[in-house]
Structure formats: C-alpha cells, structure tokens
Amino acid sequence: YRIHPTTESRDGLLSTQAHYLAARIPTRGPAGDVAFSPDGRTITVADHAGLEGFDAASHRRLRTTLEGHPVYGVAHSPDGHVLAFAENDGSVTLWDDRDEGRDGRYDRARVLPPGPRGRGPAYDVAFSADGGMLAGAGHDGVVWLWDVPRRRIIAELNNDLGPVESVAFAPDGRTLASVGADATVAIWDVSTHKLRTRLRGHVGPVRSVAFSPNGRALASGGDDGSVRLWDARSHEPLGTPLIGHI
C-alpha cells in the first residue's frame, strides 16, 4: 500500500483480522512507500533518506540499504531476490540480494536504461506477476516498461496528461494500469503498448492503483478522499465510492 508522504506517516502495521494498530515503525523522514517481501518476512520502507529493511514479526531494523537518496517507490520481485526502487533523480534501479555484501548493503546497483535523469522524480515501480517485466513511472508522464532479465527497455507509454504517480500490472500480465495528476485511471495493453481506455470518476490527482489478486477488480485512490472500485473487464464502476480516505 502507498502511504501519504507526510511526517505523520509512520508505517503503521494493522492487524488485518482484528483491525487494530499492531505496531509503529519509526522512519527517518516522510515515508513514500512500503513493500512486503513475497514470503511476508521483511518490510522495505522507502523514505526521503533512502531505503531500510525491517523484520515483519519483530519490527526490528534489519539493514539500511541506501542512504542519502530520497526514494519514492519500492517493489520486490515475485521470487524475492530483486528489489526495484524509484529515486528522486528519475532513476529506476535494481538491487539483487544475491549480490549483497557482508555489511548488509548491496554491492552492485543496476540503473535501468535509459535512466531518465533530469526529467523529474520517479514515483513508482511494479513487477509483473512472473517477474519478467518492470514498470516505472514518474514526473515526466512516461510509463517505462523494462525486460528485467535482459535489463533493457521494452517500451515507453506516454501519458501526455501529466505526472504518473502509481502503476500496477494485472495478475495475467497483459494489462497495466497507471494513475496520476490527470484524475483518470489509464488502462494499457502490455503487448501492443497502446492505451485501451481511461476510467473517469475521481476529482483531482489519483495517487494509487491496484488489481485484486484474481484480476477481476481494480481499485484507485485519490486526493478527493475516495477509493473507487472498477470492473477490470468492462471498466465500469463497482458500487459506490468509498469516501473519507486520505
């Protein structure tokens, strides 16, 4: 889940069964994103000071993997070995834990081409379900698709309507959703790299988007305080918006 980037956001961990606050993990500054590892054992926090890893059970800090670089988005690969993150300078970088050094830091960081520096911050990254593709997006309004094993660019999906805040692959890997400043949810065909449609309903920027595990529904949340659910096939709204969220 994406956390609103304020100093009040302290990565509160909620019990999904009892719905109470289970713990608070103090970050070094405003938190931009958090991600669980696929095995659920590790929480990676992206904040304005870099990246940190925490034990999900004890909430103990495991390591600081990056310092001095604001990071806005982070994602674990499905196999748990690769960490992707989006940086303030527009870079999207991959770290592989099989390259990890003895001090708990990563020895080799691979900035993915073209490394769009100078185009503003990169805000989000997302892996496809099979881990073969990575999507990244940011202030320049372009959604980038990379071939992860080959570390090469596949396509540039131009939003044309302003910065892109969040991206998500459908579970089948054939559809990508992106949201941002234009108040719409853009639906892309991954194979053709073409825009299928835009879902309209939010008033103001949309900050986050996610598919349900079965791929049948899509959720989007925005600055208008609403979370909206959409049918992933018909692109029609599902029920009424959930109001009051920030």
Side-chain angles (χ1 to χ4, degrees), residues 40-60:
R41 296 179 180 178
T42 303
I43 302 168
T44 302
V45 178
D47 60 31
H48 283 204
L51 287 174
E52 289 189 294
F54 296 86
D55 184 280
S58 68
H59 315 135
R60 178 175 58 88

Side-chain angles (χ1 to χ4, degrees), residues 28-202:
R28 300 165 297 180
D33 201 8
V34 295
F36 278 89
S37 61
D39 62 11
R41 296 179 180 178
T42 303
I43 302 168
T44 302
V45 178
D47 60 31
H48 283 204
L51 287 174
E52 289 189 294
F54 296 86
D55 184 280
S58 68
H59 315 135
R60 178 175 58 88
R61 180 178 281 104
L62 298 175
R63 61 194 173 198
T64 299
T65 55
L66 180 70
E67 291 182 298
H69 299 274
V71 178
Y72 295 133
V74 62
H76 291 267
S77 63
D79 66 6
H81 286 300
V82 181
L83 189 70
F85 60 92
E87 293 191 74
N88 183 58
D89 66 359
S91 298
V92 171
T93 304
L94 295 183
W95 272 345
D96 192 315
D97 65 7
R98 290 161 291 195
D99 297 332
E100 193 175 344
R102 293 181 181 178
D103 61 355
R105 299 172 185 268
Y106 291 89
D107 290 333
R108 290 186 291 170
R110 301 181 177 93
V111 179
L112 293 175
R117 296 175 184 270
R119 300 185 181 182
Y123 292 138
D124 196 25
V125 286
F127 283 96
S128 60
D130 64 1
M133 278 189 292
L134 180 76
H139 190 77
D140 63 359
V142 176
V143 177
W144 303 85
L145 293 180
W146 286 278
D147 180 314
V148 174
R150 294 179 176 84
R151 306 292 198 267
R152 64 178 181 84
I153 191 77
I154 297 174
E156 302 174 23
L157 313 180
N158 199 327
N159 184 55
D160 288 328
L161 296 177
V164 179
E165 297 274 351
S166 181
V167 288
F169 280 99
D172 64 9
R174 294 184 291 183
T175 301
L176 180 78
S178 66
V179 297
D182 65 352
T184 71
V185 180
I187 305 297
W188 303 89
D189 186 302
V190 173
S191 61
T192 66
H193 313 143
K194 300 295 184 182
L195 180 68
R196 289 179 182 167
T197 189
R198 291 186 185 275
L199 312 183
R200 291 176 167 83
H202 284 282

